Amino acid sequence: MSELCITGGRRLEGAIPVQGAKNSVLPILAASVLSGSVSVIHNCPDLSDVRATLAILRHLGCRVEQQGHTITVDASTLDRCDIPERLMREMRSSVIFLGALLARTGEARLCMPGGCELGPRPIDLHLAALRRLGVDVRELGGSIRCCASGLHGGEISLAIPSVGATENAMLAACGANGLTVIYNAAREPEIWDLQQYLNACGARVAGAGSSTVVVQGGMGLHTCQHTVIADRICAATFLSAAACAGGEVEVQGVPREQLVPVLQVFAEAGCRVRSEGDRMWISSDGHLRGVSPVRTAPYPGFPTDAQPVVLAALCGSTGSSVFVETMFENRYRYTMELARMGANIRVEGRVAVVTGVERLSGAALEAPDLRGGAALVVAALAAEGESCIRCLRHIDRGYENLSGVFADLGARITRRA
Ligand code: UD1
């Protein structure tokens, strides 16, 4: 089984161009079935989730080519609208194919992805939104069958600004007749990126980035090129590592506005943070202070996906910090692994209290999920001695060559096959 071995305590120095955003590229690849034409998508990170999405596209009959970080999808040959369980199980975000397939073919058949990583991840809001556009949804056991003889525009008011439900609604609305307005839409930058892709194909979508998204459906879509935005959660991971290991790191490609709550935490913890355009610099002596309570929230609040890496960085701080996880119930499993390194973290329900210890020590660890795995890497970079992290398949879902990136910054890190 492959593992990542890290000897902590080295300062990190250098500049990192941040990979393309996982949470942008996955819905954009799903959206590529909409146009029935060719999409050339640049800056696609090499991730197992991306490979799983390409397998779904191939299964649907699309022709897919990958050259470096550019993926070309020819959706003109699409000839089916079902996704088998084997492919759905790979990745939860494949549920975005619902809206895309409905818009293209008027039908979609897939099964609920099983298992649970961060706690229950219902799709009731996705289905309610699709129903508002005239979709007949049937749930049978673990499978979902959606049909729409004529998708029509409509008003959708989301009970929670769900990222996935907003994306599914946007995609289905592109194939509907008339105007769709999505109220209480998620405002994440990845929603804006999806809008940019759709508009590049000829769709008419406006308002992404605000809480009202308007889609004029039924536009003829055509071939397009699009470049995926950089991954703000990867950027937060690199900032967290530099903050606790110490050093001077430049993170390139992500505008400061996308990470304000994270940058504020590190400034409060005692780091020097500055930014210009889409470049950010962090400098830290590795001695952090505890910070005011951190509460995760939908964008532009503190991102739930950054909670594990930031909490990990504060394990060696002076004082205590409180984290409140409001988005996903089961997001603290990695704290048990951090405890093996000597971290002092008390978890009760959605609240975690981190009391800094002088130093973490290296340990044998298992990544419990994607961001929890990244949190272990962050902690190990600052710890004394060697840590070996297993279950890298979780980390590979969202980080391209994480060991190479940290090695380039001067970390002692190797991946053993
Ligand atoms: C996306 C991101 C994920 C991130 C999350 C929140 C992708 C591929 N994944 O996930 O990395 O952690 O946003 O920023 O983009 N909910 C319901 N019913 C639904 C849908 C969601 O109750 O039908 C709840 C969820 O349980 C959760 C909250 O809404 O508590 C937000 O979830 P959502 O924004 O939908 O997250 P995802 O799109 O799954």
Side-chain angles (χ1 to χ4, degrees):
M1 192 193 267
S2 44
E3 56 182 6
L4 211 50
C5 293
I6 300 170
T7 304
R10 295 267 288 241
R11 277 171 62 81
L12 302 178
E13 306 270 352
I16 321 166
V18 178
Q19 69 179 54
K22 170 179 90 72
N23 290 350
S24 269
V25 73
L26 300 181
I28 288 172
L29 285 171
S32 71
V33 306
L34 271 180
S35 73
S37 172
V38 175
S39 296
V40 182
I41 305 162
H42 304 290
N43 202 27
C44 299
D46 183 19
L47 307 172
S48 59
D49 271 9
V50 169
R51 290 191 287 274
T53 307
L54 299 187
I56 294 176
L57 288 168
R58 290 196 180 99
H59 165 84
L60 294 171
C62 301
R63 279 199 291 255
V64 177
E65 263 178 47
Q66 200 171 5
Q67 270 202 323
H69 288 123
T70 295
I71 294 176
T72 304
V73 182
D74 178 354
S76 63
T77 47
L78 180 130
D79 57 4
R80 47 195 313 168
C81 62
D82 68 298
I83 305 179
E85 193 177 351
R86 147 183 78 82
L87 295 174
M88 281 301 290
R89 226 188 286 130
E90 289 285 308
M91 195 187 44
R92 266 171 205 84
S93 56
S94 42
V95 74
I96 305 303
F97 276 96
L98 263 185
L101 284 169
L102 277 165
R104 173 77 189 277
T105 69
E107 201 183 341
R109 277 177 282 134
L110 42 86
C111 62
M112 282 290 287
C116 110
E117 191 181 282
L118 308 176
R121 286 179 96 161
I123 59 162
D124 54 317
L125 302 175
H126 300 235
L127 301 182
L130 296 175
R131 284 190 174 105
R132 299 283 307 165
L133 304 182
V135 178
D136 175 39
V137 179
R138 296 198 183 171
E139 294 176 77
L140 295 159
S143 69
I144 304 162
R145 198 186 176 118
C146 293
C147 295
S149 41
L151 278 175
H152 57 73
E155 282 190 322
I156 297 169
S157 174
L158 294 174
I160 303 174
S162 153
V163 174
T166 303
E167 291 166 347
N168 249 331
M170 282 164 74
L171 298 187
C174 284
N177 277 323
L179 196 73
T180 296
V181 185
I182 309 167
Y183 296 105
N184 199 25
R187 290 183 279 166
E188 269 70 358
E190 293 77 20
I191 306 273
W192 176 85
D193 204 22
L194 180 61
Q195 168 181 284
Q196 298 308 99
Y197 164 77
L198 290 168
N199 287 344
C201 293
R204 218 182 274 167
V205 185
S210 79
S211 49
T212 306
V213 176
V214 182
V215 181
Q216 175 63 56
M219 308 298 294
L221 303 186
H222 49 68
T223 296
C224 81
Q225 301 234 6
H226 178 75
T227 301
V228 171
I229 58 169
D231 195 308
R232 63 198 164 96
I233 305 303
C234 287
T237 306
F238 304 139
L239 293 170
S240 302
C244 64
E248 295 212 19
V249 167
E250 176 185 339
V251 175
Q252 301 168 338
V254 177
R256 175 187 167 277
E257 304 83 81
Q258 293 186 9
L259 278 177
V260 172
V262 172
L263 296 175
Q264 273 176 6
V265 167
F266 287 126
E268 190 184 345
C271 303
R272 273 194 53 223
V273 186
R274 86 196 156 78
S275 60
E276 199 183 294
D278 64 359
R279 296 159 76 191
M280 287 180 270
W281 291 263
I282 186 163
S283 106
S284 165
D285 60 8
H287 298 293
L288 303 182
R289 295 187 293 267
V291 298
S292 325
V294 174
R295 198 183 159 82
T296 64
Y299 192 86
F302 189 98
T304 172
D305 288 350
Q307 174 260 100
V309 290
V310 173
L311 189 153
L314 290 167
C315 286
S317 64
T318 51
S320 299
S321 310
V322 175
F323 283 75
V324 184
E325 173 55 56
T326 67
M327 310 285 286
F328 295 110
E329 284 176 20
N330 204 1
R331 216 166 189 170
Y332 288 130
R333 286 190 301 160
Y334 68 97
T335 60
M336 316 258 276
E337 298 295 306
L338 291 178
R340 291 170 185 272
M341 305 175 83
N344 180 354
I345 307 165
R346 229 180 46 240
V347 175
E348 236 170 84
R350 293 180 178 255
V351 178
V353 181
V354 190
T355 304
V357 294
E358 199 166 316
R359 208 166 248 297
L360 299 181
S361 12
L365 305 165
E366 277 189 14
D369 54 57
L370 166 57
R371 304 302 169 187
L376 303 184
V377 174
V378 167
L381 288 167
E384 206 166 69
E386 192 185 54
S387 299
C388 286
I389 305 172
R390 295 192 308 165
C391 298
L392 301 184
R393 64 178 187 283
H394 294 299
I395 296 177
D396 294 340
R397 288 187 41 224
Y399 293 90
E400 178 176 332
N401 187 22
L402 192 58
S403 54
V405 170
F406 280 124
D408 285 350
L409 294 179
R412 213 178 287 159
I413 178 167
T414 46
R415 182 169 177 139
R416 297 192 188 132

